[in-house]
């Protein structure tokens, strides 16, 4: 898979060179490119924003730099996503859906957003990571990349993916490791029993209990 991220702030994406995502890129399971939108501006000062028609607060990203940046990498196999608070809400199912695309282009907006004509001409969908507003699309883009890359074949073991939160519409059960006792709290006895059927039963019960408490909407 190839992921191109269009941004005004490339330095924010240093975290994509760490941990599991770094291992995935090192193994050539994914190619991630960070593209500076300003490089495509025809303005002598590399300006990428202007005042909105109709008035209002803030600035709007101008269409020309974005249009040229998108088309510098876009192919017939590209799926172009604009990170926006007005998009459909990102969920695990969408992360799995994105894995089927050979090429993702993620557009990070800023200021009051981007010119609507870019959305009309180039964007396949708008995507939000939740019902709140951020200063730009960089953090949402990182969320999408992290969620998608970890699902690609060979990045994480299939067993880990099958037992985590949302895999069966339930939140994940509690996890414990050594030491057996910490600050007066013990690891549940069933996890020490070696009885796999009882452990599985306990985990399902705990998943249901946690989901009922924290996310009853999933049930």
């Amino acid at each position: 898979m190839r992921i191109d991220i269009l941004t005004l702030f490339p330095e924010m994406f240093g975290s994509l060179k760490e941990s599991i995502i770094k291992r995935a890129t090192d193994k050539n399971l994914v190619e991630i490119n960070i593209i500076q939108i300003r490089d495509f501006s025809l303005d002598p000062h590399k300006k990428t924003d202007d005042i909105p028609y109709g008035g209002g607060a803030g600035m709007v990203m101008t269409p020309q730099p974005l249009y040229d940046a998108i088309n510098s990498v876009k192919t017939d196999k590209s799926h172009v996503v604009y990170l926006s608070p007005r998009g459909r809400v990102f969920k695990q199912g969408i992360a799995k859906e994105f894995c089927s695309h050979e090429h993702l282009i993620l557009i990070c907006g800023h200021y009051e957003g981007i010119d609507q004509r870019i959305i009309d001409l180039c964007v396949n969908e708008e995507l939000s990571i939740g019902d709140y507003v951020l200063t730009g699309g960089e953090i949402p883009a990182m969320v999408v990349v992290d969620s998608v890359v970890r699902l690609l074949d060979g990045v994480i073991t299939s067993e880990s993916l099958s037992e985590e939160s949302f895999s069966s519409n339930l939140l994940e059960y509690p996890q414990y490791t050594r030491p057996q006792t910490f600050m007066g709290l013990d690891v549940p006895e069933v996890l020490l029993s070696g009885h796999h059927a009882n452990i599985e039963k306990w985990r399902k019960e705990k998943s249901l209990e946690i989901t009922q408490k924290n996310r009853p909407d999933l049930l």
Side-chain angles (χ1 to χ4, degrees), residues 161-175:
L161 294 175
S162 66
E163 294 188 359
E164 61 189 7
S165 292
F166 308 110
S167 59
S168 58
N169 229 37
L170 294 175
L171 301 182
E172 191 174 9
Y173 48 78
Q175 298 279 10

PDB file of all heavy atoms in Angstrom, residues 161-175:
ATOM      1  N   LEU A 161      -4.940  -9.146  16.234  1.00  0.00           N
ATOM      2  CA  LEU A 161      -6.016  -8.362  15.629  1.00  0.00           C
ATOM      3  C   LEU A 161      -7.388  -8.930  15.939  1.00  0.00           C
ATOM      4  O   LEU A 161      -8.356  -8.197  16.096  1.00  0.00           O
ATOM      5  CB  LEU A 161      -5.813  -8.297  14.114  1.00  0.00           C
ATOM      6  CG  LEU A 161      -4.579  -7.528  13.633  1.00  0.00           C
ATOM      7  CD1 LEU A 161      -4.450  -7.649  12.125  1.00  0.00           C
ATOM      8  CD2 LEU A 161      -4.647  -6.065  14.044  1.00  0.00           C
ATOM      9  N   SER A 162      -7.475 -10.263  16.048  1.00  0.00           N
ATOM     10  CA  SER A 162      -8.782 -10.898  16.224  1.00  0.00           C
ATOM     11  C   SER A 162      -9.338 -10.734  17.630  1.00  0.00           C
ATOM     12  O   SER A 162     -10.540 -10.876  17.844  1.00  0.00           O
ATOM     13  CB  SER A 162      -8.697 -12.392  15.886  1.00  0.00           C
ATOM     14  OG  SER A 162      -7.869 -13.065  16.824  1.00  0.00           O
ATOM     15  N   GLU A 163      -8.471 -10.405  18.597  1.00  0.00           N
ATOM     16  CA  GLU A 163      -8.920 -10.351  19.989  1.00  0.00           C
ATOM     17  C   GLU A 163      -8.969  -8.940  20.561  1.00  0.00           C
ATOM     18  O   GLU A 163      -9.251  -8.759  21.732  1.00  0.00           O
ATOM     19  CB  GLU A 163      -7.999 -11.218  20.864  1.00  0.00           C
ATOM     20  CG  GLU A 163      -8.089 -12.699  20.542  1.00  0.00           C
ATOM     21  CD  GLU A 163      -7.317 -13.553  21.532  1.00  0.00           C
ATOM     22  OE1 GLU A 163      -6.701 -12.980  22.459  1.00  0.00           O
ATOM     23  OE2 GLU A 163      -7.349 -14.778  21.378  1.00  0.00           O
ATOM     24  N   GLU A 164      -8.720  -7.911  19.747  1.00  0.00           N
ATOM     25  CA  GLU A 164      -8.691  -6.564  20.297  1.00  0.00           C
ATOM     26  C   GLU A 164     -10.071  -5.905  20.230  1.00  0.00           C
ATOM     27  O   GLU A 164     -11.021  -6.456  19.675  1.00  0.00           O
ATOM     28  CB  GLU A 164      -7.665  -5.714  19.551  1.00  0.00           C
ATOM     29  CG  GLU A 164      -7.959  -5.549  18.084  1.00  0.00           C
ATOM     30  CD  GLU A 164      -6.814  -4.883  17.347  1.00  0.00           C
ATOM     31  OE1 GLU A 164      -5.751  -4.692  17.978  1.00  0.00           O
ATOM     32  OE2 GLU A 164      -6.975  -4.558  16.167  1.00  0.00           O
ATOM     33  N   SER A 165     -10.155  -4.712  20.800  1.00  0.00           N
ATOM     34  CA  SER A 165     -11.422  -3.988  20.832  1.00  0.00           C
ATOM     35  C   SER A 165     -11.993  -3.804  19.428  1.00  0.00           C
ATOM     36  O   SER A 165     -11.249  -3.579  18.473  1.00  0.00           O
ATOM     37  CB  SER A 165     -11.229  -2.614  21.485  1.00  0.00           C
ATOM     38  OG  SER A 165     -10.945  -2.730  22.861  1.00  0.00           O
ATOM     39  N   PHE A 166     -13.319  -3.915  19.318  1.00  0.00           N
ATOM     40  CA  PHE A 166     -14.110  -3.733  18.099  1.00  0.00           C
ATOM     41  C   PHE A 166     -14.034  -4.910  17.137  1.00  0.00           C
ATOM     42  O   PHE A 166     -14.753  -4.951  16.147  1.00  0.00           O
ATOM     43  CB  PHE A 166     -13.725  -2.443  17.345  1.00  0.00           C
ATOM     44  CG  PHE A 166     -13.745  -1.220  18.207  1.00  0.00           C
ATOM     45  CD1 PHE A 166     -12.573  -0.571  18.554  1.00  0.00           C
ATOM     46  CD2 PHE A 166     -14.943  -0.721  18.695  1.00  0.00           C
ATOM     47  CE1 PHE A 166     -12.589   0.557  19.366  1.00  0.00           C
ATOM     48  CE2 PHE A 166     -14.969   0.405  19.505  1.00  0.00           C
ATOM     49  CZ  PHE A 166     -13.792   1.040  19.834  1.00  0.00           C
ATOM     50  N   SER A 167     -13.167  -5.905  17.421  1.00  0.00           N
ATOM     51  CA  SER A 167     -13.049  -7.028  16.492  1.00  0.00           C
ATOM     52  C   SER A 167     -14.337  -7.841  16.444  1.00  0.00           C
ATOM     53  O   SER A 167     -14.668  -8.430  15.426  1.00  0.00           O
ATOM     54  CB  SER A 167     -11.869  -7.924  16.885  1.00  0.00           C
ATOM     55  OG  SER A 167     -12.027  -8.420  18.197  1.00  0.00           O
ATOM     56  N   SER A 168     -15.075  -7.894  17.540  1.00  0.00           N
ATOM     57  CA  SER A 168     -16.352  -8.618  17.570  1.00  0.00           C
ATOM     58  C   SER A 168     -17.452  -7.724  18.112  1.00  0.00           C
ATOM     59  O   SER A 168     -18.383  -8.194  18.742  1.00  0.00           O
ATOM     60  CB  SER A 168     -16.223  -9.892  18.409  1.00  0.00           C
ATOM     61  OG  SER A 168     -15.818  -9.573  19.729  1.00  0.00           O
ATOM     62  N   ASN A 169     -17.318  -6.429  17.885  1.00  0.00           N
ATOM     63  CA  ASN A 169     -18.264  -5.428  18.370  1.00  0.00           C
ATOM     64  C   ASN A 169     -18.271  -5.319  19.885  1.00  0.00           C
ATOM     65  O   ASN A 169     -19.231  -4.834  20.479  1.00  0.00           O
ATOM     66  CB  ASN A 169     -19.683  -5.689  17.861  1.00  0.00           C
ATOM     67  CG  ASN A 169     -20.285  -4.427  17.269  1.00  0.00           C
ATOM     68  OD1 ASN A 169     -19.584  -3.655  16.625  1.00  0.00           O
ATOM     69  ND2 ASN A 169     -21.562  -4.214  17.481  1.00  0.00           N
ATOM     70  N   LEU A 170     -17.202  -5.792  20.523  1.00  0.00           N
ATOM     71  CA  LEU A 170     -17.034  -5.660  21.966  1.00  0.00           C
ATOM     72  C   LEU A 170     -15.694  -4.997  22.255  1.00  0.00           C
ATOM     73  O   LEU A 170     -14.773  -5.065  21.446  1.00  0.00           O
ATOM     74  CB  LEU A 170     -17.065  -7.033  22.646  1.00  0.00           C
ATOM     75  CG  LEU A 170     -18.380  -7.824  22.601  1.00  0.00           C
ATOM     76  CD1 LEU A 170     -18.176  -9.196  23.227  1.00  0.00           C
ATOM     77  CD2 LEU A 170     -19.504  -7.081  23.311  1.00  0.00           C
ATOM     78  N   LEU A 171     -15.585  -4.361  23.418  1.00  0.00           N
ATOM     79  CA  LEU A 171     -14.310  -3.815  23.843  1.00  0.00           C
ATOM     80  C   LEU A 171     -13.451  -4.918  24.442  1.00  0.00           C
ATOM     81  O   LEU A 171     -13.963  -5.931  24.928  1.00  0.00           O
ATOM     82  CB  LEU A 171     -14.530  -2.696  24.869  1.00  0.00           C
ATOM     83  CG  LEU A 171     -15.389  -1.519  24.384  1.00  0.00           C
ATOM     84  CD1 LEU A 171     -15.488  -0.460  25.478  1.00  0.00           C
ATOM     85  CD2 LEU A 171     -14.817  -0.906  23.106  1.00  0.00           C
ATOM     86  N   GLU A 172     -12.155  -4.722  24.411  1.00  0.00           N
ATOM     87  CA  GLU A 172     -11.236  -5.779  24.825  1.00  0.00           C
ATOM     88  C   GLU A 172     -11.290  -6.020  26.331  1.00  0.00           C
ATOM     89  O   GLU A 172     -11.510  -5.105  27.128  1.00  0.00           O
ATOM     90  CB  GLU A 172      -9.804  -5.420  24.419  1.00  0.00           C
ATOM     91  CG  GLU A 172      -8.816  -6.569  24.577  1.00  0.00           C
ATOM     92  CD  GLU A 172      -7.441  -6.226  24.023  1.00  0.00           C
ATOM     93  OE1 GLU A 172      -7.221  -5.054  23.686  1.00  0.00           O
ATOM     94  OE2 GLU A 172      -6.609  -7.144  23.929  1.00  0.00           O
ATOM     95  N   TYR A 173     -11.056  -7.260  26.714  1.00  0.00           N
ATOM     96  CA  TYR A 173     -11.009  -7.668  28.119  1.00  0.00           C
ATOM     97  C   TYR A 173      -9.749  -7.115  28.791  1.00  0.00           C
ATOM     98  O   TYR A 173      -8.791  -6.715  28.122  1.00  0.00           O
ATOM     99  CB  TYR A 173     -11.015  -9.202  28.214  1.00  0.00           C
ATOM    100  CG  TYR A 173     -10.029  -9.880  27.305  1.00  0.00           C
ATOM    101  CD1 TYR A 173      -8.672  -9.945  27.623  1.00  0.00           C
ATOM    102  CD2 TYR A 173     -10.441 -10.438  26.089  1.00  0.00           C
ATOM    103  CE1 TYR A 173      -7.756 -10.558  26.783  1.00  0.00           C
ATOM    104  CE2 TYR A 173      -9.519 -11.037  25.228  1.00  0.00           C
ATOM    105  CZ  TYR A 173      -8.186 -11.105  25.584  1.00  0.00           C
ATOM    106  OH  TYR A 173      -7.278 -11.694  24.747  1.00  0.00           O
ATOM    107  N   PRO A 174      -9.688  -7.096  30.139  1.00  0.00           N
ATOM    108  CA  PRO A 174      -8.499  -6.607  30.847  1.00  0.00           C
ATOM    109  C   PRO A 174      -7.285  -7.495  30.597  1.00  0.00           C
ATOM    110  O   PRO A 174      -7.417  -8.708  30.419  1.00  0.00           O
ATOM    111  CB  PRO A 174      -8.912  -6.669  32.326  1.00  0.00           C
ATOM    112  CG  PRO A 174     -10.394  -6.732  32.324  1.00  0.00           C
ATOM    113  CD  PRO A 174     -10.775  -7.453  31.075  1.00  0.00           C
ATOM    114  N   GLN A 175      -6.112  -6.875  30.600  1.00  0.00           N
ATOM    115  CA  GLN A 175      -4.856  -7.597  30.410  1.00  0.00           C
ATOM    116  C   GLN A 175      -3.994  -7.486  31.670  1.00  0.00           C
ATOM    117  O   GLN A 175      -3.999  -6.451  32.345  1.00  0.00           O
ATOM    118  CB  GLN A 175      -4.082  -7.019  29.219  1.00  0.00           C
ATOM    119  CG  GLN A 175      -4.800  -7.135  27.897  1.00  0.00           C
ATOM    120  CD  GLN A 175      -4.668  -8.513  27.269  1.00  0.00           C
ATOM    121  OE1 GLN A 175      -4.191  -9.457  27.903  1.00  0.00           O
ATOM    122  NE2 GLN A 175      -5.085  -8.636  26.024  1.00  0.00           N
TER     123      GLN A 175
END
